[in-house]
Amino acid sequence: MKLGIVGLPNVGKSTLFNALTKAGAESANYPFCTINPNIGVVNVPDHRLSQLTEFYHSKKSIPAVIEFVDIAGLVKGASKGEGLGNQFLSHIREVDAIVHVVRCFDDDNIVHVDASVNPQRDIETIQLELILSDLEILERKIARTNKGAKNDKLLAKQMPILEALKQHLEDGQLASSFAIPEKDEEIGKEILDSLALLSNKPVIYAANVEAMDLKDNGSSNPHVQSVHKIAQKEKAEVFVICAQIEQEIAEIDSDESPLNEEEKQAFFEEAGIKESGLDQLIHAGYRLLGLISYLTAGEQECKAWTITAGSKAPAAAGKIHSDFERGFIRAEVVDYQDLLNAGSYALAKEKGLVRVEGKEYIVQDGDVILFRFNV
C-alpha cells in the first residue's frame, strides 16, 4: 500500500510524516520547508504475525509494509506553479490513496497561509489544485485521442467520455464523483484507471487537533465536525490525530529503545487515545482500499501478505510468485487463531481445522496458507 500525504503548508503534514515513519523530514513553522518529496516505508503492525513467529520460533518475521510519500505543502495556484507543490504532484500520481492532513486547531504561533483556520476552505483549496492538475493530464489525453479517433473506432468511443469528464472537472467536481454512463461503464473505468487522476483517488482525512481534543476524539471540535461532513459526502475516511502527540510517541518509542505494550498503553491512556496514529491510519487505509492480510508461516519465516478482499486463492498465491499462481494446485488453509489454539500444525490437521481449498476459494483475513503448485 502506498499513501501520498497532502495538505496546505503548516497544517502538521511533515510533523505527522516524521512521526509515522521516523524518517526525519524537514518540518518548520514556515511554508514550503519540504523542498523535496520525502519517502518513508513503515511496517504494518500485526499481532497475528508476532504470535505466529513466536509459535514457530521462526528465524525471520516479515510484516506487510506501507510506503508514505510526503510532498511540499500546496497553496492556491500550485497547479500553475505557485509555491513548490506543482513540482511534486507527479510524485503522488502512483499512490493508492491520499492522506489529506487538515488543520483543526487554533494557534497564533503557527502561521496559516490564509490567516485563519477553516477546514472546508482548506480542503476545497487542495481539491481545486488536484482538479486543475488533472485537467492538464486530461487535456493532453484528449489531444492524443482526438488525433487517432478518425482511424480507430475504440479511440472514437473514448472521446465523448473524455469530453464529459473534462466538463465535470471544469465544473470544479472531483473525478471520483464522475458518473460513467451505464453503456460505457467498462471503457469509462479503463479510461479513469489509465489516467491515474489525483482527484479520483480514495481519500483519508487526518484531522490534526490539539492534544486536549483527543479526549473525546474531536467530537466537541467544530473544525473536526466540518471535516466529518465533507468526508461523509465523499465516502472518505476520517481519523482524528494530534501530530504533536504522534511526534512524542515516535521519540519515546524509538527503534533503539522501543516501549513494551504496557508502557505504550499507559502513554495512550494519559494522552486520551486508544491506539497510535499509525495504527489508525493503517486501519483506515485497509478499510478504504478493501484490503486484508493472509499469512504464510514456518520455521524459516513468517510473513504477512496484503491482498484485495475477495481475492481467490490463485491470485493470492501470485503475490508470493507468479509461478505459484500459474501452477496453482490447491491451498491448505487454517485460521491463525485455530492454529494457535491447536498447539501445532499437525494437531490442527488431526482436528480437521486445516482445509484443502481449490481455485475458487476466496481468501479470508487471518488465513494461514500453504500453497501447493507445479510448473
Side-chain angles (χ1 to χ4, degrees):
M1 180 160 60
K2 191 173 183 179
L3 303 176
I5 304 178
V6 302
L8 293 172
N10 292 352
V11 296
K13 195 168 55 63
S14 291
T15 303
L16 178 60
F17 173 82
N18 287 340
L20 296 176
T21 65
K22 302 177 187 175
E26 191 176 355
S27 167
N29 181 22
Y30 54 91
F32 319 127
C33 63
T34 314
I35 305 298
N36 293 308
N38 297 299
I39 295 171
V41 178
V42 299
N43 294 336
V44 175
D46 191 334
H47 68 278
R48 301 169 304 189
L49 183 68
S50 308
Q51 288 174 311
L52 285 169
T53 302
E54 200 177 311
F55 181 79
Y56 277 104
H57 305 293
S58 306
K59 290 174 186 172
K60 279 198 291 186
S61 182
I62 306 170
V65 296
I66 293 182
E67 186 176 326
F68 289 101
V69 182
D70 172 36
I71 65 165
L74 301 172
V75 291
K76 281 178 188 166
S79 60
K80 300 295 178 192
E82 290 295 321
L84 296 168
N86 184 50
Q87 301 171 43
F88 305 122
L89 284 170
S90 60
H91 291 286
I92 55 168
R93 285 217 175 266
E94 300 311 313
V95 300
D96 299 307
I98 287 173
V99 180
H100 186 160
V101 183
V102 186
R103 180 169 166 174
C104 294
F105 64 88
D106 296 292
D107 188 337
D108 294 338
N109 296 316
I110 299 178
V111 181
H112 190 293
V113 287
D114 289 323
S116 64
V117 177
N118 182 331
Q120 184 172 343
R121 177 203 61 209
D122 294 352
I123 287 170
E124 286 170 359
T125 296
I126 297 292
Q127 287 180 340
L128 181 59
E129 295 312 315
L130 299 184
I131 288 167
L132 291 172
S133 179
D134 285 345
L135 270 168
E136 284 184 31
I137 299 284
L138 188 56
E139 280 162 3
R140 289 200 291 270
K141 169 75 173 175
I142 287 171
R144 288 196 308 272
T145 306
N146 196 32
K147 209 172 177 182
K150 289 174 187 174
N151 305 313
D152 189 318
K153 284 183 182 176
L154 183 60
L155 292 180
K157 270 187 186 178
Q158 289 181 10
M159 280 305 296
I161 302 166
L162 289 167
E163 292 289 0
L165 177 57
K166 181 172 179 271
Q167 186 59 58
H168 184 77
L169 294 178
E170 284 175 341
D171 291 341
Q173 302 296 313
L174 300 170
S176 57
S177 65
F178 178 63
I180 302 167
E182 203 174 320
K183 63 182 177 66
D184 300 319
E185 201 167 339
E186 193 178 333
I187 194 168
K189 192 176 180 311
E190 279 175 19
I191 288 169
L192 281 171
D193 288 347
S194 69
L195 289 168
L197 299 178
L198 294 172
S199 67
N200 192 40
K201 293 191 181 294
V203 175
I204 303 165
Y205 288 108
N208 188 14
V209 300
E210 289 179 286
M212 63 182 185
D213 285 324
L214 293 174
K215 302 284 182 188
D216 64 357
N217 203 33
S219 60
S220 57
N221 180 325
H223 296 319
V224 174
Q225 295 318 304
S226 175
V227 176
H228 272 292
K229 271 187 190 172
I230 292 164
Q232 197 172 8
K233 191 179 168 189
E234 296 173 5
K235 296 187 174 120
E237 287 275 344
V238 182
F239 73 104
V240 178
I241 197 166
C242 174
Q244 214 57 50
I245 291 285
E246 293 303 317
Q247 192 170 31
E248 286 177 33
I249 293 170
E251 284 166 6
I252 62 171
D253 186 24
S254 64
D255 292 336
E256 292 75 34
S257 55
L259 294 178
N260 64 38
E261 208 51 46
E262 279 180 26
E263 289 169 328
K264 223 180 256 186
Q265 287 309 315
F267 183 90
F268 289 172
E269 276 177 39
E270 198 180 323
I273 56 178
K274 289 179 181 174
E275 57 183 356
S276 72
L278 178 61
D279 287 344
Q280 288 187 67
L281 184 49
I282 288 166
H283 294 152
Y286 271 62
R287 276 195 306 271
L288 190 65
L289 297 170
L291 302 174
I292 61 168
S293 293
Y294 76 87
L295 304 116
T296 52
E299 285 180 18
Q300 287 305 309
E301 69 172 37
C302 284
K303 188 166 182 176
W305 304 86
T306 302
I307 58 169
T308 306
S311 295
K312 291 183 179 178
K319 278 279 174 184
I320 300 174
H321 197 283
S322 56
D323 284 353
F324 280 41
E325 182 172 10
R326 196 159 48 92
F328 179 89
I329 299 170
R330 64 180 182 275
E332 293 177 16
V333 184
V334 59
D335 177 77
Y336 92 98
Q337 194 60 62
D338 286 344
L339 175 57
L340 295 178
N341 292 344
S344 75
Y345 193 80
L347 285 170
K349 255 187 165 177
E350 268 180 42
K351 292 178 179 179
L353 299 171
V354 179
R355 311 181 310 277
V356 174
E357 302 286 0
K359 289 182 178 181
E360 295 304 307
Y361 176 67
I362 294 172
V363 175
Q364 302 299 307
D365 191 43
D367 277 350
V368 179
I369 306 181
L370 174 65
F371 292 108
R372 302 291 184 186
F373 71 104
N374 182 37
V375 286

